[in-house]
Amino acid sequence: MPSLSHDAFDLHSADQVPDSYSWPSSFLHDHPVSAPDAVDSIPVIDISSPSAASLVGAACRSFGVFYATGHGVPSDLLRDVEAQARRLFSLPLHRKLLAARLPGFLSGYGRPPLSSFFPKLMWSEGFTLAGDPLDVSGNIWSHDHSLFCEVMEKYKRWMKRVAEKLLNLMLHSMGLDDEMTDRAGFMKEMILAVDALQLNSYPPCPEPEKAMGMAPHTDSGLLTVLHQNGGARGLQILRGENVSGTARWVAVPPLAGALVIHVGDLLQILSNGRFRSVRHRAVVNAAEHRISVAYIIGPPGHVKVGPIRRLIKAGQSPMYRSVTWPEYLAIRARLFDKAIQCVELPAK
Ligand SMILES: C=C1C[C@]23C[C@@]1(O)CC[C@H]2[C@@]12CCC[C@@](C)(C(=O)O1)[C@H]2[C@@H]3C(=O)O
Ligand SMILES: O=C(O)CCC(=O)C(=O)O
Ligand SMILES: [Fe+2]
Protein backbone atom coordinates (compact mmCIF):
# COMPACT_ATOMS: atom_id res chain seq x y z
CA MET A 1 0.00 0.00 0.00
CA PRO A 2 1.51 3.41 -0.89
CA SER A 3 2.35 5.42 2.21
CA LEU A 4 1.00 8.72 0.90
CA SER A 5 -1.66 10.43 2.98
CA HIS A 6 -5.07 9.95 1.38
CA ASP A 7 -5.05 13.65 0.39
CA ALA A 8 -2.35 12.80 -2.10
CA PHE A 9 -3.07 9.13 -2.62
CA ASP A 10 -2.03 7.89 -6.05
CA LEU A 11 -4.94 5.78 -7.33
CA HIS A 12 -2.79 4.39 -10.13
CA SER A 13 -0.44 2.57 -7.76
CA ALA A 14 -3.07 1.07 -5.45
CA ASP A 15 -3.32 -2.69 -5.04
CA GLN A 16 -6.31 -2.48 -2.71
CA VAL A 17 -8.96 0.06 -1.77
CA PRO A 18 -8.04 1.92 1.43
CA ASP A 19 -10.75 2.45 4.03
CA SER A 20 -11.10 6.13 3.14
CA TYR A 21 -12.18 5.05 -0.39
CA SER A 22 -14.33 2.11 0.68
CA TRP A 23 -18.03 3.02 0.44
CA PRO A 24 -20.71 1.28 2.51
CA SER A 25 -22.52 -1.31 0.49
CA SER A 26 -25.87 0.23 1.52
CA PHE A 27 -24.82 3.36 -0.35
CA LEU A 28 -23.40 1.62 -3.43
CA HIS A 29 -26.45 -0.65 -3.66
CA ASP A 30 -29.14 1.83 -2.64
CA HIS A 31 -31.09 0.88 -5.78
CA PRO A 32 -30.81 -2.03 -8.20
CA VAL A 33 -28.78 -1.57 -11.39
CA SER A 34 -30.55 -2.49 -14.58
CA ALA A 35 -29.33 -2.72 -18.16
CA PRO A 36 -31.47 -0.50 -20.40
CA ASP A 37 -34.61 -2.30 -21.59
CA ALA A 38 -37.48 -1.02 -23.72
CA VAL A 39 -38.70 1.25 -20.92
CA ASP A 40 -35.30 2.51 -19.83
CA SER A 41 -33.64 2.83 -23.23
CA ILE A 42 -31.89 6.18 -23.25
CA PRO A 43 -33.15 8.07 -26.33
CA VAL A 44 -30.68 8.51 -29.22
CA ILE A 45 -31.51 11.72 -31.09
CA ASP A 46 -30.07 13.06 -34.33
CA ILE A 47 -30.10 16.74 -33.40
CA SER A 48 -29.70 17.77 -37.05
CA SER A 49 -33.01 16.18 -38.04
CA PRO A 50 -36.23 18.19 -38.53
CA SER A 51 -38.00 16.23 -35.77
CA ALA A 52 -35.21 16.89 -33.24
CA ALA A 53 -37.03 19.52 -31.13
CA SER A 54 -39.98 17.33 -30.18
CA LEU A 55 -37.72 14.30 -29.51
CA VAL A 56 -35.38 16.40 -27.37
CA GLY A 57 -38.36 17.81 -25.44
CA ALA A 58 -39.75 14.33 -24.77
CA ALA A 59 -36.33 13.05 -23.62
CA CYS A 60 -35.80 16.02 -21.29
CA ARG A 61 -39.23 15.53 -19.73
CA SER A 62 -39.03 11.82 -19.26
CA PHE A 63 -35.32 10.98 -18.82
CA GLY A 64 -33.39 14.22 -18.26
CA VAL A 65 -30.70 12.64 -20.43
CA PHE A 66 -30.24 11.55 -24.04
CA TYR A 67 -27.56 10.69 -26.60
CA ALA A 68 -27.04 13.35 -29.27
CA THR A 69 -25.83 12.32 -32.72
CA GLY A 70 -25.62 14.61 -35.76
CA HIS A 71 -23.90 17.22 -33.56
CA GLY A 72 -21.19 17.98 -36.14
CA VAL A 73 -18.21 17.83 -33.76
CA PRO A 74 -15.32 16.38 -35.82
CA SER A 75 -14.46 12.87 -34.67
CA ASP A 76 -10.73 13.67 -34.66
CA LEU A 77 -11.42 16.50 -32.19
CA LEU A 78 -13.25 14.05 -29.90
CA ARG A 79 -10.21 11.77 -30.13
CA ASP A 80 -7.80 14.66 -29.52
CA VAL A 81 -9.60 15.97 -26.44
CA GLU A 82 -9.54 12.53 -24.89
CA ALA A 83 -5.87 12.03 -25.81
CA GLN A 84 -4.89 15.39 -24.27
CA ALA A 85 -6.88 14.65 -21.11
CA ARG A 86 -5.17 11.24 -20.89
CA ARG A 87 -1.77 12.88 -21.39
CA LEU A 88 -2.46 15.24 -18.50
CA PHE A 89 -3.75 12.53 -16.16
CA SER A 90 -0.85 10.20 -16.95
CA LEU A 91 1.64 12.63 -15.38
CA PRO A 92 3.01 11.73 -11.96
CA LEU A 93 0.91 12.96 -9.04
CA HIS A 94 3.48 15.54 -7.92
CA ARG A 95 3.27 17.23 -11.35
CA LYS A 96 -0.56 17.31 -11.31
CA LEU A 97 -0.47 18.79 -7.82
CA LEU A 98 1.37 21.80 -9.29
CA ALA A 99 -2.07 22.81 -10.60
CA ALA A 100 -3.98 21.95 -7.40
CA ARG A 101 -7.21 23.94 -7.07
CA LEU A 102 -6.69 26.77 -4.60
CA PRO A 103 -9.41 27.67 -2.08
CA GLY A 104 -12.03 29.91 -3.66
CA PHE A 105 -11.01 29.02 -7.24
CA LEU A 106 -12.98 26.92 -9.73
CA SER A 107 -10.11 25.82 -11.96
CA GLY A 108 -7.46 23.32 -11.04
CA TYR A 109 -6.65 19.75 -10.13
CA GLY A 110 -8.40 18.03 -7.26
CA ARG A 111 -11.62 16.62 -5.99
CA PRO A 112 -14.74 18.22 -7.43
CA PRO A 113 -16.80 20.29 -4.94
CA LEU A 114 -19.42 17.54 -4.41
CA SER A 115 -16.76 15.41 -2.71
CA SER A 116 -17.10 17.40 0.53
CA PHE A 117 -20.69 16.15 0.98
CA PHE A 118 -19.70 12.50 1.21
CA PRO A 119 -17.89 10.70 4.02
CA LYS A 120 -15.77 8.61 1.63
CA LEU A 121 -13.41 9.63 -1.17
CA MET A 122 -14.20 9.03 -4.83
CA TRP A 123 -12.05 6.81 -7.04
CA SER A 124 -11.34 9.54 -9.54
CA GLU A 125 -9.28 12.61 -10.20
CA GLY A 126 -10.39 15.72 -12.00
CA PHE A 127 -9.21 18.91 -13.64
CA THR A 128 -11.67 21.78 -13.88
CA LEU A 129 -10.89 24.24 -16.68
CA ALA A 130 -13.19 27.17 -15.97
CA GLY A 131 -11.34 29.88 -17.87
CA ASP A 132 -8.17 29.86 -19.93
CA PRO A 133 -6.80 26.26 -20.02
CA LEU A 134 -3.34 27.78 -19.65
CA ASP A 135 -4.18 28.76 -16.05
CA VAL A 136 -4.05 25.04 -15.26
CA SER A 137 -1.71 23.49 -17.83
CA GLY A 138 0.85 26.33 -17.67
CA ASN A 139 1.62 25.36 -14.06
CA ILE A 140 2.33 21.78 -15.12
CA TRP A 141 4.02 22.08 -18.50
CA SER A 142 6.19 25.15 -18.79
CA HIS A 143 6.84 24.55 -22.52
CA ASP A 144 4.59 21.74 -23.73
CA HIS A 145 1.17 23.20 -23.01
CA SER A 146 0.34 24.73 -26.40
CA LEU A 147 -1.20 21.63 -28.02
CA PHE A 148 -3.24 20.93 -24.87
CA CYS A 149 -4.54 24.52 -24.80
CA GLU A 150 -5.30 24.57 -28.55
CA VAL A 151 -7.32 21.35 -28.33
CA MET A 152 -9.23 22.40 -25.18
CA GLU A 153 -10.07 25.82 -26.61
CA LYS A 154 -11.22 24.38 -29.93
CA TYR A 155 -13.28 21.79 -28.08
CA LYS A 156 -14.92 24.46 -25.89
CA ARG A 157 -15.86 26.49 -29.01
CA TRP A 158 -17.51 23.42 -30.53
CA MET A 159 -19.25 22.56 -27.28
CA LYS A 160 -20.68 26.07 -27.02
CA ARG A 161 -22.11 25.71 -30.53
CA VAL A 162 -23.65 22.34 -29.66
CA ALA A 163 -25.05 23.66 -26.36
CA GLU A 164 -26.66 26.67 -28.07
CA LYS A 165 -28.24 24.42 -30.66
CA LEU A 166 -29.55 22.14 -27.90
CA LEU A 167 -30.92 25.03 -25.87
CA ASN A 168 -32.74 26.32 -28.92
CA LEU A 169 -34.24 22.88 -29.56
CA MET A 170 -35.28 22.62 -25.91
CA LEU A 171 -36.95 26.03 -25.89
CA HIS A 172 -38.68 25.29 -29.20
CA SER A 173 -39.92 21.99 -27.85
CA MET A 174 -41.76 23.96 -25.16
CA GLY A 175 -43.45 26.09 -27.82
CA LEU A 176 -41.13 29.08 -27.54
CA ASP A 177 -40.04 30.40 -30.93
CA ASP A 178 -36.94 32.54 -31.61
CA GLU A 179 -38.85 35.74 -31.17
CA MET A 180 -40.25 34.74 -27.80
CA THR A 181 -36.95 33.53 -26.41
CA ASP A 182 -35.20 36.64 -27.70
CA ARG A 183 -37.85 38.81 -26.18
CA ALA A 184 -37.24 37.06 -22.91
CA GLY A 185 -33.65 38.15 -23.60
CA PHE A 186 -32.41 34.72 -22.73
CA MET A 187 -30.68 33.44 -25.86
CA LYS A 188 -29.10 36.87 -26.42
CA GLU A 189 -27.59 36.73 -22.96
CA MET A 190 -26.25 33.25 -23.70
CA ILE A 191 -23.67 34.78 -26.05
CA LEU A 192 -21.82 35.58 -22.85
CA ALA A 193 -22.51 32.16 -21.34
CA VAL A 194 -20.20 30.91 -18.61
CA ASP A 195 -18.79 27.47 -19.25
CA ALA A 196 -16.33 24.98 -17.83
CA LEU A 197 -14.69 21.74 -18.88
CA GLN A 198 -14.47 19.05 -16.24
CA LEU A 199 -11.90 16.39 -17.17
CA ASN A 200 -12.55 13.22 -15.18
CA SER A 201 -10.22 10.24 -14.84
CA TYR A 202 -11.25 6.94 -13.29
CA PRO A 203 -8.16 4.73 -12.94
CA PRO A 204 -8.73 0.95 -12.91
CA CYS A 205 -9.73 -0.04 -9.39
CA PRO A 206 -8.42 -3.26 -7.74
CA GLU A 207 -11.73 -3.73 -5.85
CA PRO A 208 -14.39 -1.93 -7.93
CA GLU A 209 -17.27 -3.34 -5.87
CA LYS A 210 -16.09 -1.21 -2.91
CA ALA A 211 -15.45 2.09 -4.67
CA MET A 212 -17.42 4.95 -6.21
CA GLY A 213 -16.02 6.91 -9.17
CA MET A 214 -18.31 9.94 -8.96
CA ALA A 215 -20.98 10.10 -6.27
CA PRO A 216 -24.64 10.65 -7.23
CA HIS A 217 -25.47 14.24 -8.11
CA THR A 218 -27.27 16.49 -10.53
CA ASP A 219 -25.30 19.10 -12.49
CA SER A 220 -26.12 22.65 -11.51
CA GLY A 221 -25.91 24.47 -14.86
CA LEU A 222 -28.38 24.57 -17.73
CA LEU A 223 -27.03 21.51 -19.47
CA THR A 224 -23.95 19.32 -19.61
CA VAL A 225 -22.49 17.75 -22.74
CA LEU A 226 -20.52 14.65 -21.79
CA HIS A 227 -17.96 12.86 -23.94
CA GLN A 228 -16.93 9.43 -22.63
CA ASN A 229 -14.21 7.30 -24.11
CA GLY A 230 -15.23 4.38 -26.26
CA GLY A 231 -14.39 1.25 -24.33
CA ALA A 232 -15.22 1.87 -20.72
CA ARG A 233 -18.61 1.92 -19.07
CA GLY A 234 -19.29 3.78 -15.84
CA LEU A 235 -22.03 6.39 -16.18
CA GLN A 236 -25.41 5.50 -14.67
CA ILE A 237 -28.57 7.58 -14.28
CA LEU A 238 -31.29 7.19 -11.68
CA ARG A 239 -34.71 6.40 -13.16
CA GLY A 240 -38.06 6.35 -11.41
CA GLU A 241 -36.80 8.41 -8.45
CA ASN A 242 -40.18 10.02 -7.89
CA VAL A 243 -42.26 6.87 -7.93
CA SER A 244 -41.78 5.05 -4.66
CA GLY A 245 -40.17 1.63 -4.92
CA THR A 246 -39.22 1.86 -8.60
CA ALA A 247 -35.90 3.72 -8.53
CA ARG A 248 -33.09 1.97 -10.40
CA TRP A 249 -29.67 2.87 -11.76
CA VAL A 250 -29.59 2.57 -15.53
CA ALA A 251 -26.28 2.27 -17.39
CA VAL A 252 -25.48 4.87 -20.05
CA PRO A 253 -22.71 3.05 -21.96
CA PRO A 254 -20.55 4.89 -24.49
CA LEU A 255 -22.17 5.04 -27.93
CA ALA A 256 -19.72 5.63 -30.77
CA GLY A 257 -19.80 9.24 -31.97
CA ALA A 258 -22.64 10.23 -29.63
CA LEU A 259 -22.46 12.85 -26.88
CA VAL A 260 -24.47 12.42 -23.68
CA ILE A 261 -26.66 15.41 -22.78
CA HIS A 262 -27.76 15.99 -19.17
CA VAL A 263 -30.47 18.41 -18.09
CA GLY A 264 -29.10 20.57 -15.26
CA ASP A 265 -30.84 22.20 -12.29
CA LEU A 266 -31.04 25.64 -13.93
CA LEU A 267 -32.89 24.16 -16.89
CA GLN A 268 -35.36 22.54 -14.50
CA ILE A 269 -35.94 26.02 -13.02
CA LEU A 270 -36.13 27.77 -16.43
CA SER A 271 -38.63 25.22 -17.73
CA ASN A 272 -40.75 25.56 -14.56
CA GLY A 273 -40.19 21.88 -13.78
CA ARG A 274 -41.18 20.54 -17.22
CA PHE A 275 -37.63 19.21 -17.63
CA ARG A 276 -36.02 17.36 -14.72
CA SER A 277 -32.33 17.51 -13.93
CA VAL A 278 -31.03 13.97 -13.91
CA ARG A 279 -29.30 12.34 -10.94
CA HIS A 280 -26.26 10.40 -12.13
CA ARG A 281 -23.12 8.71 -10.85
CA ALA A 282 -20.05 6.96 -12.25
CA VAL A 283 -18.93 3.51 -11.14
CA VAL A 284 -15.46 2.09 -11.70
CA ASN A 285 -14.01 -1.11 -13.10
CA ALA A 286 -10.92 -3.23 -12.60
CA ALA A 287 -9.62 -3.32 -16.15
CA GLU A 288 -9.96 0.01 -17.86
CA HIS A 289 -8.85 3.57 -17.29
CA ARG A 290 -11.99 5.58 -18.06
CA ILE A 291 -11.85 9.23 -19.11
CA SER A 292 -14.82 11.54 -19.44
CA VAL A 293 -14.98 15.18 -20.44
CA ALA A 294 -17.98 17.17 -19.24
CA TYR A 295 -18.81 20.56 -20.72
CA ILE A 296 -21.02 22.48 -18.31
CA ILE A 297 -22.76 25.64 -19.45
CA GLY A 298 -24.80 28.25 -17.63
CA PRO A 299 -25.86 31.84 -18.13
CA PRO A 300 -23.52 34.77 -17.44
CA GLY A 301 -23.15 35.49 -13.74
CA HIS A 302 -25.46 38.52 -13.64
CA VAL A 303 -28.45 36.81 -15.34
CA LYS A 304 -31.30 35.74 -13.07
CA VAL A 305 -32.76 32.40 -14.14
CA GLY A 306 -36.40 31.87 -13.28
CA PRO A 307 -39.29 30.06 -14.92
CA ILE A 308 -39.98 31.51 -18.39
CA ARG A 309 -43.23 33.46 -17.97
CA ARG A 310 -44.77 32.05 -21.16
CA LEU A 311 -44.55 28.58 -19.63
CA ILE A 312 -46.70 29.48 -16.66
CA LYS A 313 -50.31 28.85 -17.57
CA ALA A 314 -53.06 31.27 -16.53
CA GLY A 315 -53.95 30.78 -12.87
CA GLN A 316 -50.68 28.92 -12.16
CA SER A 317 -47.75 30.25 -10.22
CA PRO A 318 -44.02 29.78 -10.88
CA MET A 319 -42.51 26.76 -9.14
CA TYR A 320 -39.16 28.46 -8.45
CA ARG A 321 -37.79 31.85 -7.57
CA SER A 322 -35.15 33.40 -9.83
CA VAL A 323 -31.47 32.95 -9.08
CA THR A 324 -28.19 33.68 -10.79
CA TRP A 325 -25.85 30.74 -11.35
CA PRO A 326 -23.33 32.02 -8.75
CA GLU A 327 -26.18 32.41 -6.22
CA TYR A 328 -27.31 28.89 -6.98
CA LEU A 329 -23.75 27.49 -6.68
CA ALA A 330 -23.48 29.20 -3.29
CA ILE A 331 -26.73 27.50 -2.18
CA ARG A 332 -25.38 24.17 -3.48
CA ALA A 333 -22.15 24.71 -1.56
CA ARG A 334 -24.28 24.76 1.61
CA LEU A 335 -27.09 22.34 0.83
CA PHE A 336 -25.86 20.24 -2.12
CA ASP A 337 -28.80 18.23 -3.49
CA LYS A 338 -31.37 20.07 -1.36
CA ALA A 339 -30.50 23.30 -3.25
CA ILE A 340 -33.35 22.99 -5.75
CA GLN A 341 -35.85 22.66 -2.90
CA CYS A 342 -34.43 25.83 -1.39
CA VAL A 343 -35.44 27.85 -4.49
CA GLU A 344 -38.89 26.21 -4.79
CA LEU A 345 -41.85 28.53 -4.22
CA PRO A 346 -44.86 27.33 -2.26
CA ALA A 347 -47.80 26.43 -4.54
CA LYS A 348 -50.55 29.06 -4.32
C1 LIG B 1 -19.17 25.30 -12.82
C2 LIG B 1 -19.16 24.27 -12.00
C3 LIG B 1 -20.13 23.16 -12.01
C4 LIG B 1 -19.55 22.17 -11.04
C5 LIG B 1 -18.94 23.08 -10.03
C6 LIG B 1 -18.17 24.04 -10.93
O1 LIG B 1 -17.82 25.17 -10.23
C7 LIG B 1 -16.94 23.35 -11.51
C8 LIG B 1 -17.04 21.83 -11.43
C9 LIG B 1 -18.45 21.30 -11.71
C10 LIG B 1 -18.66 19.92 -11.11
C11 LIG B 1 -18.15 18.76 -11.99
C12 LIG B 1 -18.40 17.45 -11.26
C13 LIG B 1 -19.80 17.34 -10.64
C14 LIG B 1 -20.17 18.66 -9.90
C15 LIG B 1 -21.49 18.50 -9.17
C16 LIG B 1 -19.03 19.09 -9.01
O2 LIG B 1 -18.89 18.87 -7.84
O3 LIG B 1 -18.14 19.82 -9.75
C17 LIG B 1 -20.13 19.79 -10.91
C18 LIG B 1 -20.53 21.18 -10.39
C19 LIG B 1 -22.00 21.51 -10.63
O4 LIG B 1 -22.58 21.12 -11.65
O5 LIG B 1 -22.53 22.19 -9.76
O1 LIG C 1 -17.78 10.48 -15.82
C1 LIG C 1 -19.00 10.51 -15.95
O2 LIG C 1 -19.61 9.77 -16.69
C2 LIG C 1 -19.80 11.50 -15.13
C3 LIG C 1 -19.09 12.80 -14.92
C4 LIG C 1 -19.99 13.81 -14.28
O3 LIG C 1 -21.06 13.51 -13.83
C5 LIG C 1 -19.57 15.22 -14.22
O4 LIG C 1 -18.43 15.55 -14.59
O5 LIG C 1 -20.41 16.05 -13.78
FE1 LIG D 1 -22.31 15.27 -13.48
Side-chain angles (χ1 to χ4, degrees), residues 4 6 13 29 39 51 82 84 113 144 147 199 259 318 323 329 347:
L4 292 164
H6 69 238
S13 60
H29 305 294
V39 182
S51 53
E82 186 195 321
Q84 287 304 316
D144 302 342
L147 182 58
L199 315 179
L259 295 165
V323 273
L329 282 172

Side-chain angles (χ1 to χ4, degrees), residues 168-188:
N168 264 309
L169 290 170
M170 289 167 179
L171 294 171
H172 279 237
S173 79
M174 293 186 280
L176 301 164
D177 61 24
D178 288 341
E179 206 197 332
M180 288 174 193
T181 52
D182 271 348
R183 220 183 279 144
F186 189 71
M187 283 315 284
K188 275 196 188 135

